[in-house]
Amino acid sequence: MVADEIRSERLIFKNFSELSEEEKQIIAKSWGNPINSRYNGSSEAPIDQVNDIASYSLPTEWGMFYKYVVLQETGEVVGTCRFGKWYKSDSASVWDFGFNVLLKYWFKGYGTEIVKTIVEVAKSEGIEKVISAADIENFGSYKSMFKNGMKFKGYDKDEDYEFEIDLTKEQIVQSQEALDQEWQSILEKAEKDLGKKRYKLIMDDFKNIRKLVTKIQDGGDEDKLIKEYLAELGEAKSLKLRG
């Protein structure tokens, strides 16, 4: 049975039912952030979603676990995740997952650590396969999956990029050169699928977001910096910003 509290190298995973009101607001703000929420695909109010999940019994009736993630060192909220029975499969031995990292904690490897922990928990629970998908433009998410040995499978029916790992098979340790080549092939496919112009716009935007996050991590006002970023981006002419 999945533990109520899970620890990784730097993080602690806790049940949503343990959230304080302040932590709920922090998570809701992250989910509603126009950069974080770009790929959420939900029209619900973030705080309503947080409150609903906090009221769930775990696992839910559909076999899903929801955790919020904090730093071991300080107890600060880093992000959230869900994992459990894949809704597209009748098998209880196939899991999928999703995760979100607060903007100020981007580019620190926390997404990769969250995915690693989920895969490890799945293996300890006797799960045979873990599958997840990311929007074709969500390079950060599928890089986190790739780094944890999940293999690129192509488009799923929602036209997202799907990755999976078969936990019944021994994982082959690849050289860094082979991994780099494999990752490059994924990027080349994304460029082909998106088109060169769109691909370049996304990559340029990614660089701008990295600069924005660096300013936030240096103590800048997150709300102000996001407004400035959106103003520079204009009316989302080049990118699909939701929220």
Side-chain angles (χ1 to χ4, degrees):
M1 183 64 181
V2 174
D4 288 336
E5 183 173 292
I6 302 165
R7 288 178 177 259
S8 62
E9 182 180 354
R10 298 176 292 174
L11 307 171
I12 305 174
F13 296 66
K14 298 183 176 184
N15 291 341
F16 262 65
S17 58
E18 298 179 41
L19 283 167
S20 68
E21 291 304 315
E22 181 181 1
E23 289 171 329
K24 288 180 181 179
Q25 293 297 330
I26 290 170
I27 291 170
K29 182 177 179 180
S30 176
W31 288 2
N33 177 307
I35 297 174
N36 281 82
S37 68
R38 185 179 297 177
Y39 308 105
N40 286 357
S42 175
S43 59
E44 292 185 59
I47 190 60
D48 292 341
Q49 290 179 307
V50 175
N51 283 324
D52 283 347
I53 294 171
S55 70
Y56 294 164
S57 296
L58 297 182
T60 64
E61 60 185 80
W62 56 93
M64 188 65 62
F65 294 86
Y66 288 84
K67 302 284 186 181
Y68 72 103
V69 186
V70 302
L71 292 174
Q72 285 194 33
E73 189 174 336
T74 64
E76 293 176 272
V77 176
V78 169
T80 58
C81 65
R82 60 161 185 82
F83 53 86
K85 184 179 180 299
W86 191 35
Y87 73 98
K88 296 179 183 178
S89 172
D90 293 330
S91 174
S93 63
V94 181
W95 274 11
D96 85 320
F97 65 85
F99 67 96
N100 177 75
V101 176
L102 271 65
L103 194 58
K104 70 177 181 178
Y105 291 111
W106 282 24
F107 308 117
K108 292 181 177 289
Y110 292 122
T112 300
E113 188 169 337
I114 289 171
V115 175
K116 179 183 179 185
T117 304
I118 291 171
V119 171
E120 289 174 346
V121 170
K123 189 170 184 177
S124 71
E125 292 294 312
I127 300 305
E128 296 177 0
K129 187 177 291 186
V130 177
I131 296 174
S132 191
D135 187 291
I136 186 176
E137 298 181 7
N138 192 355
F139 293 93
S141 286
Y142 55 81
K143 183 66 175 289
S144 293
M145 291 187 275
F146 176 79
K147 283 184 174 181
N148 282 290
M150 298 185 72
K151 296 300 181 183
F152 175 60
K153 305 301 290 185
Y155 280 120
D156 68 3
K157 69 177 184 179
D158 298 317
E159 296 191 351
D160 292 329
Y161 270 8
E162 188 171 273
F163 290 75
E164 71 173 39
I165 184 168
D166 187 339
L167 299 176
T168 66
K169 297 180 179 179
E170 185 176 351
Q171 301 306 308
I172 299 172
V173 179
Q174 294 178 274
S175 68
Q176 188 58 52
E177 181 181 4
L179 289 170
D180 290 343
Q181 289 176 352
E182 188 175 344
W183 177 247
Q184 186 59 39
S185 71
I186 295 172
L187 292 181
E188 288 172 358
K189 177 168 176 52
E191 182 177 18
K192 181 179 179 181
D193 291 341
L194 288 163
K196 290 185 179 295
K197 183 177 180 180
R198 181 77 172 175
Y199 180 83
K200 184 178 184 304
L201 285 169
I202 293 166
M203 286 301 184
D204 288 344
D205 183 64
F206 189 74
K207 293 176 183 177
N208 291 331
I209 290 175
R210 183 181 282 275
K211 292 176 182 177
L212 180 152
V213 170
T214 298
K215 290 178 182 178
I216 293 172
Q217 292 170 346
D218 288 341
D221 184 290
E222 181 174 316
D223 293 336
K224 181 181 178 181
L225 287 167
I226 290 174
K227 286 180 180 178
E228 290 174 353
Y229 160 79
L230 293 175
E232 290 177 5
L233 192 63
E235 297 298 322
K237 293 177 182 177
S238 61
L239 296 170
K240 57 176 186 185
L241 291 177
R242 295 197 288 261

